[in-house]
Amino acid sequence: MRTAPGVVADQFEFCGYDILDSYESLSVLTNCGGFPGVFDSSEVNRYALVDDRVRADDIAERLRDSNPDCPHCRHCSVWSVARYAHV
């Protein structure tokens, strides 16, 4: 869910926060090329997600502010991501 905190249902494991493009179809973190000065690839975890919600919000805000004409960045949003982990 776009605005939900990193709280997940039973049988799921929280993986991190992704930043989806304006169309809610692509990860800006991994699919839109690099954004030097906004975030570094070392900031993503093993799932290619950001662990900290505050940092993810900051990255999204900086992407929107520094790329207002980019259709992928201008309305990007933070989503929490979980995976099914029931064994």
Side-chain angles (χ1 to χ4, degrees), residues 30-79:
T30 59
N31 293 314
C32 291
F35 294 95
V38 176
F39 75 95
D40 188 79
S41 63
S42 66
E43 295 184 72
V44 299
N45 64 23
R46 68 185 179 138
Y47 301 111
L49 303 170
V50 177
D51 289 323
D52 182 71
R53 174 63 190 253
V54 173
R55 180 62 180 134
D57 286 338
D58 178 59
I59 292 169
E61 182 178 350
R62 292 178 72 194
L63 285 167
R64 290 188 294 266
D65 290 347
S66 63
N67 299 281
D69 297 327
C70 175
H72 293 286
C73 295
R74 82 174 131 226
H75 299 295
C76 65
S77 57
V78 175
W79 287 59

